[in-house]
Amino acid sequence: MSQYLQTKNSTRKRGGLLVFIIFHRWVGISTFILLLSLAITGIMLNHTEELKLNQSYIKNTWLQNWYGIKMPQQQNFIKLDNTLIAQIGKKLYLNQSHLLDEKSPLIGSYKSNDFIIIAMKKALYLFTLEGDLIERLDSEKNLPSPISRIGFSELIQNSNQLMIEVNQQYYTSNDDFLSWTKIQSKEFYPLELEDPKNVDKTFYQNAYLGNELNLERVILDLHSGRLLGRFGVYLMDLAAIILIMLGLSGTWIWSRRFRK
Amino acid sequence: MRYIFLFIIIFSSVNAGAKGVYQSNADFLNEVFHNNLPKTQSLWLLNNIKKGAEKILGEKPSQLRIRYWARDQQTAWILEEVGKEKLITVGFLIENNTLKKIKVLAFRESRGWEVKEDFFLEQFFQRRLTSELKLDRNIDGISGATLSVRALKKLSRLALFYHQQVIEKNTL
């Protein structure tokens, strides 16, 4: 009788162990993808600098949309002969070269024989025709501001008589923009911005959007689960808990087998 | 607890007064020229002048035209250089290739503002430029303000170099 009970007890124990092994196996298989992602992204994040994750940018439109990255509202363009000046957000471009960052909006631009003049609301930039910065003028350099428009007093454009409009007053410079003089002008012919609809924005869209989201952020969000929002974070929490459970259950199964 | 609170108040008030604009460019120029400001002139950084500026800065100058104000053998310069991350604005008065006045006009970094203090700036008084475009005397640094000190040394050398160029061209 006691032998029967011993056999029955042992069978029950073996059956329990078997169930546990099956549970351990399936939980392991079902969370494998998550654990693999956690491990690979973890290794990558440990080597951010070597892998240059913070310098690699995501060009994928779907991911950019997922992160809500879109073109900024501030998009101003000016065409000067063969030169296109573009302001996308705070980034200022001369043709396809990124010149500098300037928050205040682009007001107007003019190309003389010597300079390219770019007027922003609170600053005026002088560039060589090759795009090298000559000088940035602002209120500390006696530039009247905020500039609302730039233009000329006559229809025939004369670079020496470029005027800036500030609070409905007109100023001009006769010494290559070192100083400004207020002038009375009955006529004012402003230089207009280009209608954005007439500009091919493909390059600027790629240049702007392609520099907003770096690989480090995506890997970090993949690691923490934030890529899938709050649900993703809980999912990765669950994966981490399961990883702990697998460790414990694996050890338990191993110890039971070892005892035999 | 009381002492900790007192320390926090003293520390925050000292720090609050540390960065900012100490004097406007216009006020500095009026001070050095006794409210009789000469007209603004400009020095173009081309050819050898650009090379000299590059040697001092260790990189290409950020702009090609520098403003200055001159009377008799004196020139005044307002120059800017990045300390660690932000620009430090410094005013200089130079006479006969010698630094007569140096003043930090604006300091935007969170650390290293001690360079605006007289005890540090006094070291630059009467300094000249050697043929190797270095200052003729060693400038003692300030612990915790290494990058700001470096920026001020560079700007002093630049101002003296630009002054030399203006004198050589007899544009005074």
Side-chain angles (χ1 to χ4, degrees):
Chain A
M1 181 69 181
S2 66
Q3 199 179 359
Y4 166 74
L5 280 175
Q6 260 184 350
T7 315
K8 195 178 174 185
N9 211 6
S10 147
T11 313
R12 199 182 291 161
K13 275 184 184 171
R14 244 185 288 153
L17 181 65
L18 194 68
V19 169
F20 209 83
I21 289 170
I22 292 168
F23 169 78
H24 180 83
R25 184 181 297 156
W26 281 106
V27 168
I29 291 168
S30 57
T31 51
F32 175 72
I33 303 279
L34 289 178
L35 297 177
L36 195 68
S37 154
L38 205 62
I40 292 173
T41 52
I43 292 168
M44 288 175 85
L45 289 172
N46 260 352
H47 301 277
T48 300
E49 284 180 17
E50 293 97 314
L51 296 172
K52 295 183 178 171
L53 297 182
N54 55 353
Q55 291 167 34
S56 310
Y57 288 88
I58 303 290
K59 312 282 180 196
N60 183 282
T61 317
W62 182 85
L63 260 178
Q64 288 170 348
N65 289 338
W66 184 259
Y67 273 86
I69 292 166
K70 53 186 179 185
M71 290 292 277
Q73 279 195 331
Q74 180 162 273
Q75 292 182 38
N76 299 313
F77 302 92
I78 295 166
K79 270 185 185 165
L80 304 167
D81 304 330
N82 299 323
T83 310
L84 179 70
I85 293 162
Q87 184 188 32
I88 310 291
K90 61 176 186 177
K91 291 187 185 300
L92 196 68
Y93 298 89
L94 181 69
N95 288 327
Q96 298 193 344
S97 309
H98 176 225
L99 282 179
L100 46 91
D101 288 355
E102 174 73 50
K103 272 186 195 170
S104 77
L106 179 66
I107 299 296
S109 183
Y110 179 66
K111 194 175 183 178
S112 73
N113 293 333
D114 309 309
F115 304 129
I116 294 174
I117 299 143
I118 301 179
M120 320 296 286
K121 192 177 177 184
K122 291 180 181 169
L124 194 132
Y125 287 90
L126 302 178
F127 287 94
T128 62
L129 300 180
E130 291 75 36
D132 294 324
L133 178 65
I134 296 170
E135 197 177 6
R136 179 187 188 272
L137 316 181
D138 57 19
S139 56
E140 276 291 331
K141 290 182 177 171
N142 301 322
L143 174 76
S145 67
I147 301 171
S148 49
R149 293 188 295 177
I150 67 167
F152 295 89
S153 57
E154 293 168 34
L155 268 176
I156 303 162
Q157 295 179 354
N158 176 347
S159 63
N160 292 326
Q161 280 307 310
L162 183 78
M163 290 156 60
I164 58 172
E165 186 189 61
V166 177
N167 299 327
Q168 294 172 330
Q169 310 265 10
Y170 300 105
Y171 297 83
T172 191
S173 175
N174 295 317
D175 55 0
D176 285 341
F177 310 102
L178 289 174
S179 63
W180 295 87
T181 318
K182 194 192 279 188
I183 54 166
Q184 299 297 326
S185 180
K186 289 178 186 170
E187 307 283 337
F188 181 67
Y189 298 95
L191 293 165
E192 304 287 350
L193 293 173
E194 191 74 25
D195 186 346
K197 287 175 192 161
N198 301 333
V199 178
D200 177 10
K201 294 191 273 290
T202 318
F203 167 80
Y204 302 105
Q205 274 170 347
N206 292 337
Y208 186 87
L209 296 175
N211 278 305
E212 285 294 293
L213 178 64
N214 66 27
L215 193 55
E216 185 183 15
R217 188 177 162 195
V218 176
I219 300 291
L220 199 62
D221 288 348
L222 203 58
H223 188 72
S224 65
R226 281 193 176 80
L227 195 69
L228 302 175
R230 188 172 285 181
F231 165 76
V233 176
Y234 293 138
L235 193 69
M236 292 316 269
D237 285 349
L238 188 69
I241 292 166
I242 287 172
L243 183 65
I244 296 166
M245 282 171 60
L246 283 174
L248 294 173
S249 60
T251 311
W252 186 76
I253 292 165
W254 174 79
S255 69
R256 289 300 300 264
R257 281 181 172 169
F258 183 74
R259 231 185 276 166
K260 273 193 208 169
Chain B
M1 188 66 193
R2 231 184 329 170
Y3 291 113
I4 293 171
F5 185 64
L6 196 67
F7 174 78
I8 290 169
I9 288 179
I10 292 168
F11 183 75
S12 57
S13 61
V14 165
N15 235 359
K19 65 174 181 178
V21 178
Y22 311 128
Q23 190 175 28
S24 72
N25 296 1
D27 286 349
F28 172 77
L29 292 169
N30 280 321
E31 184 188 323
V32 296
F33 288 112
H34 311 291
N35 292 318
N36 185 15
L37 195 63
K39 74 170 183 138
T40 310
Q41 298 183 59
S42 64
L43 175 72
W44 283 82
L45 306 189
L46 302 170
N47 308 322
N48 287 337
I49 303 180
K50 192 178 178 185
K51 279 181 193 164
E54 228 172 289
K55 187 179 174 186
I56 291 168
L57 288 168
E59 60 188 351
K60 274 187 183 174
S62 59
Q63 57 184 53
L64 294 176
R65 192 172 81 171
I66 306 292
R67 289 169 182 236
Y68 70 93
W69 295 261
R71 176 166 298 132
D72 304 326
Q73 290 299 305
Q74 289 187 327
T75 59
W77 306 81
I78 292 171
L79 304 176
E80 290 184 320
E81 172 67 358
V82 174
K84 188 181 178 193
E85 289 168 341
K86 293 178 180 169
L87 289 171
I88 304 170
T89 309
V90 187
F92 296 91
L93 179 71
I94 296 165
E95 187 177 353
N96 295 326
N97 290 320
T98 308
L99 249 167
K100 288 289 173 192
K101 189 174 180 70
I102 171 171
K103 192 164 188 179
V104 177
L105 304 179
F107 190 89
R108 301 166 184 90
E109 304 269 15
S110 53
R111 288 179 184 184
W113 51 269
E114 296 86 348
V115 292
K116 75 172 176 126
E117 301 295 346
D118 287 344
F119 74 85
F120 173 71
L121 295 175
E122 276 167 7
Q123 300 181 87
F124 291 89
F125 185 62
Q126 300 287 19
R127 295 285 58 82
R128 298 172 75 90
L129 203 62
T130 65
S131 55
E132 290 165 343
L133 306 183
K134 290 185 176 166
L135 295 177
D136 63 350
R137 207 202 86 175
N138 187 43
I139 303 291
D140 293 333
I142 301 174
S143 166
T146 313
L147 295 175
S148 303
V149 169
R150 195 176 295 165
L152 255 76
K153 283 192 211 170
K154 277 185 189 176
L155 290 180
S156 309
R157 291 163 64 198
L158 265 187
L160 285 163
F161 174 67
Y162 291 157
H163 175 88
Q164 269 183 5
Q165 304 309 310
V166 170
I167 296 285
E168 276 175 21
K169 288 193 169 190
N170 293 322
T171 50
L172 278 180

